[in-house]
Structure formats: C-alpha cells, structure tokens
Amino acid sequence: AQTVTQSQPEMSVQEAETVTLSCTYDTSESDYYLFWYKQPPSRQMILVIRQEAYKQQNATENRFSVNFQKAAKSFSLKISDSQLGDAAMYFCAYRSPGGGADGLTFGKGTHLIIQP
Amino acid sequence: EPEVTQTPSHQVTQMGQEVILRCVPISNHLYFYWYRQILGQKVEFLVSFYNNEISEKSEIFDDQFSVERPDGSNFTLKIRSTKLEDSAMYFCASIRDRSNTGELFFGEGSRLTVL
C-alpha cells in the first residue's frame, strides 16, 4: 500500500515571501500521479497542482511549483510571493494510474499560516 | 463550472441514530468516492463506487456503512448506528473516468457531530 508523509504539521511565512512544503511518499509503482490540494477554512478541497510521475519536468501553476524527485520519492510544493489567501491546510496526495477504484491517498496535511 | 454538492453541511445526531449524507456528483462523472476527515487528522478513503456497485472500500467502511446511488443523481452515504468516533467531516468526490489524469473533484463536505 502506498503511504504519503507530510512532516510539517504547521508552517508560517511572511506575506510576499516564499515557502516550501514537504511531502514524501512510498510506492512500488513506477507510474502514478501526485497532487497538492488546498483546503481553506471554507472546507472544500481545491486542486493546486498535479504531477505525472512519467514527466521529468516539474509542474508549475503561476506562483505554485513543485520539486519532484522521483528517485527520492519526494514531492515538495513551493509557493512564491505568498498571499494572505494562501492560508489553508495543504494536503499532498498520491494516486495510482488506473486508480479509478481506490482514489487518493493523502498525507496528514500542513497548516500554512501567512503572516501579514 | 460544474461542482460536487453535498447536503447537509452540518448534522448533529445522537449516538445510535441513522444518518444519511447526500452528494450530487458532477453529471458526466462515473466514479464516486466518500472520504472522511476526523478533526485534525488526515483525509481517509472510505469507499469508491462505479457502475452502481462498490469498487473498493477501506477498513473503516464496515457493516455500519453503506452507499447507494438510488436515482442516478444522488450518491448517498448511510451510517446505520452512529458512534461517537464517527464524528468527522465527510467529503464526497467524483472523477470522470479511469483515463482521466487523476483529478478528483471534491464537495464542500458534511460535518457530522455525534453526541
């Protein structure tokens, strides 16, 4: 079974600064998908960014980018120019390629605080 | 933009009572899920549903839980006899098909409080 580990229960960053959230995972599969989801206080989980394991290039979405290290099974999220609206719980998640059945495996989450 | 909707947003119930949580997935999606998040803990997979039957379920999804899609629209999670430890946020999610690159769309969740 796959596991996802987020070792930082909470992170704090000054507005406009850059912060990196860590995520490691364990799997025996060679092909899979990785995701970062954001869960603001309004509760709905929103997809921030995703990475296909077969792609070597790190995914980027505006101020959000990942550092995907497949050999190390590491998938960190970098948020540049942090904004107050980035404050939320961030969950790293893993999905098998044919995983229509078993959905996502989540980490425990990192609570991101943005200091004004 | 289409979205997954869940009702109720919050339900308070007495231990031992039956609870039904409802979800309306995105209309052209084929796979449906329920996840649970106990306060302060990680989001946990409960069950997946495809073609009107359970595809996969976790150890959490015991005989007290059931799911169904009675009318082709709603996707419900029933807890027959609630326990205190069932208090959690329950998220419904859906995905279009297995060939999709993997993005699950989540609802806003239903908070269940068991007293």
Side-chain angles (χ1 to χ4, degrees):
Chain A
Q2 295 82 20
T3 59
V4 177
T5 301
Q6 292 178 251
S7 59
Q8 306 153 315
E10 186 173 280
M11 291 284 284
S12 181
V13 63
Q14 292 286 333
E15 192 176 4
E17 297 291 307
T18 295
V19 63
T20 298
L21 308 184
S22 301
C23 173
T24 59
Y25 57 93
D26 189 26
T27 183
S28 58
E29 296 174 317
S30 59
D31 193 19
Y32 46 85
Y33 303 104
L34 296 166
F35 305 85
W36 279 98
Y37 276 87
K38 171 185 177 182
Q39 185 184 34
S42 67
R43 304 175 303 167
Q44 185 176 30
M45 271 191 285
I46 305 164
L47 180 65
V48 175
I49 198 167
R50 66 177 156 211
Q51 174 84 40
E52 288 91 342
Y54 64 86
K55 290 186 178 178
Q56 293 185 341
Q57 186 174 8
N58 289 325
T60 299
E61 289 287 341
N62 300 313
R63 297 183 295 107
F64 298 87
S65 61
V66 299
N67 183 5
F68 173 48
Q69 301 288 330
K70 191 172 184 179
K73 296 180 182 175
S74 171
F75 182 61
S76 60
L77 174 70
K78 185 172 81 171
I79 305 174
S80 304
D81 186 25
S82 299
Q83 300 175 0
L84 294 177
D86 294 333
M89 283 292 291
Y90 285 81
F91 292 96
C92 179
Y94 173 104
R95 182 164 184 251
S96 297
D102 54 12
L104 294 169
T105 300
F106 286 90
K108 286 189 175 183
T110 297
H111 182 209
L112 179 63
I113 298 168
I114 310 296
Q115 305 279 4
Chain B
E1 186 175 335
E3 58 182 22
V4 177
T5 58
Q6 290 186 239
T7 55
S9 57
H10 188 194
Q11 183 160 355
V12 181
T13 189
Q14 294 290 326
M15 190 168 56
Q17 294 296 304
E18 175 182 283
V19 162
I20 296 176
L21 306 178
R22 292 181 170 79
C23 168
V24 179
I26 295 172
S27 62
N28 63 345
H29 284 193
L30 300 177
Y31 283 85
F32 315 113
Y33 303 83
W34 282 101
Y35 287 82
R36 179 181 80 176
Q37 184 183 26
I38 295 172
L39 184 63
Q41 299 187 24
K42 68 177 179 180
V43 178
E44 301 172 291
F45 167 75
L46 290 179
V47 66
S48 60
F49 192 85
Y50 171 73
N51 199 27
N52 281 323
E53 60 182 21
I54 291 174
S55 297
E56 192 85 20
K57 58 183 180 179
S58 71
E59 294 176 352
I60 303 167
F61 195 87
D62 61 22
D63 292 344
Q64 291 299 313
F65 291 89
S66 63
V67 290
E68 64 176 358
R69 197 161 186 241
D71 56 9
S73 174
N74 291 283
F75 176 52
T76 62
L77 174 69
K78 181 192 290 186
I79 309 174
R80 289 189 183 84
S81 178
T82 50
K83 303 187 286 287
L84 294 176
E85 53 265 38
D86 293 328
S87 294
M89 184 74 83
Y90 289 82
F91 291 98
C92 176
S94 69
I95 194 168
R96 191 177 64 204
D97 55 45
R98 293 177 72 103
S99 64
N100 187 277
T101 53
E103 179 180 354
L104 265 66
F105 291 83
F106 286 86
E108 290 193 353
S110 294
R111 180 174 297 283
L112 175 64
T113 303
V114 182
L115 303 176

